Amino acid sequence: MAESMSGTKFSLKLTGTLNNALTDGTPTTASCPNVSYSDSISNGVGSGCADRSWQQKNGELANHEDQVTLCLYDFAGVDIGAGAGKDPLGQDMAFQNVVAIVIVNENAAGAAGHLEVLPASSHGWTPIGSHTVAAGSSIGPQGILMKYEPEEGGLDIDPNVSDRLTLRANGGAVTYSIYLLARTSDTESSSSSSSVSSSSVSISSLSSSSLSSLSSSSASSSSSSISTSSSSQSMSTSSSSSISTSSSSSSSSSSSSSSLSSISSSSSSSSSHSSSSVT
């Protein structure tokens, strides 16, 4: 089963009006800050894409210094409702990098508990650094920590080396939420399988000339998929809704082989006839 993402968007908006009154009483204003950023994210593992997601809403750290450590690679032991180490659809995960991460301190304004976010003491995940009370960078009540990296490779997860993030309460209990948009491969070409959503990518028809320019070995008109390999490629001219990539060689179509054989035979016969005519 191949999971995919569709309708994914990242939006950020921060606006305000700066006011001032001059000495003569004349009011002046300026639109500041004024930032509105929006990005549509396609399904996949390349730049501007994501193919998996995970979230935990309203997690509890009941007391000062209570903490939880999350393995961002496979979330081993963490159950958000569909089983330990499973995503919201009950599927296993093997995240290779993070496209977007959002962490929220859900405490009511004025509550004592601050949320600290830092690499775990073992196999710590470092791309977003440390955010602690001691450093003055913890997440206070209603505070949000967010990072977005849509480029290929994203915020790298290195399994069993740099993949664990610790969330810790400081000063009191904390209710937290964490949201991730991720990829299951570091590079588009190394993906073992990806399901392309029709809302972001549409492959409706491919001409034989287009396929010919893409394939260096053979073309088949009967296949319903496109597979790419390091040694040979089998390309389809029919409509396709999935792209699968394999590290093994793709076999050429037998019809292509027989067609080539037929052409060769015909060519040989033509050559013989021409020779006898000359004689």
Side-chain angles (χ1 to χ4, degrees):
M1 176 180 177
E3 290 190 326
S4 62
M5 298 293 300
S6 62
T8 311
K9 292 183 178 180
F10 177 86
S11 297
L12 172 67
K13 189 172 184 178
L14 179 63
T15 61
T17 300
L18 179 65
N19 302 287
N20 186 36
L22 302 180
T23 54
D24 63 359
T26 303
T28 59
T29 63
S31 180
C32 179
N34 184 17
V35 57
S36 181
Y37 179 83
S38 181
D39 198 9
S40 293
I41 303 167
S42 301
N43 178 67
V45 296
S47 180
C49 299
D51 64 342
R52 297 294 294 273
S53 61
W54 185 89
Q55 66 180 25
Q56 182 182 24
K57 301 182 72 172
N58 298 318
E60 295 287 343
L61 300 172
N63 302 289
H64 170 63
E65 293 190 346
D66 277 3
Q67 67 180 42
V68 60
T69 294
L70 304 172
C71 176
L72 303 186
Y73 172 67
D74 60 8
F75 293 91
V78 181
D79 189 348
I80 58 172
K86 306 293 185 181
D87 70 6
L89 297 179
Q91 302 301 305
D92 291 329
M93 293 167 288
F95 293 172
Q96 297 296 324
N97 61 79
V98 173
V99 178
I101 182 169
V102 179
I103 304 173
V104 184
N105 183 339
E106 303 282 7
N107 284 5
H114 280 233
L115 180 62
E116 296 184 319
V117 179
L118 61 158
S121 57
S122 175
H123 302 163
W125 191 63
T126 59
I128 62 173
S130 296
H131 306 269
T132 65
V133 168
S137 57
S138 62
I139 308 173
Q142 294 297 294
I144 297 174
L145 174 65
M146 175 178 63
K147 191 162 186 178
Y148 175 57
E149 183 49 75
E151 282 298 297
E152 185 173 299
L155 305 172
D156 188 54
I157 296 172
D158 193 354
N160 296 316
V161 177
S162 175
D163 61 1
R164 299 177 189 178
L165 186 69
T166 294
L167 306 180
R168 182 170 64 204
N170 190 311
V174 171
T175 299
Y176 68 89
S177 295
I178 178 171
Y179 307 86
L180 279 90
L181 189 61
R183 302 185 183 110
T184 54
S185 177
D186 283 324
T187 59
E188 192 166 11
S189 60
S190 65
S191 173
S192 61
S193 174
S194 63
S195 173
V196 181
S197 164
S198 61
S199 65
S200 57
V201 178
S202 174
I203 302 176
S204 58
S205 64
L206 292 172
S207 67
S208 59
S209 61
S210 296
L211 292 175
S212 180
S213 66
L214 290 172
S215 170
S216 61
S217 56
S218 64
S220 169
S221 61
S222 61
S223 172
S224 61
S225 65
I226 300 176
S227 358
T228 328
S229 78
S230 60
S231 58
S232 64
Q233 301 174 330
S234 175
M235 309 299 295
S236 165
T237 58
S238 61
S239 297
S240 172
S241 61
S242 67
I243 301 175
S244 65
T245 311
S246 168
S247 61
S248 64
S249 300
S250 301
S251 61
S252 299
S253 129
S254 61
S255 63
S256 175
S257 233
S258 64
S259 295
L260 289 172
S261 181
S262 175
I263 291 170
S264 174
S265 174
S266 175
S267 175
S268 174
S269 174
S270 175
S271 174
S272 174
H273 178 71
S274 175
S275 176
S276 64
S277 294
V278 171
T279 301

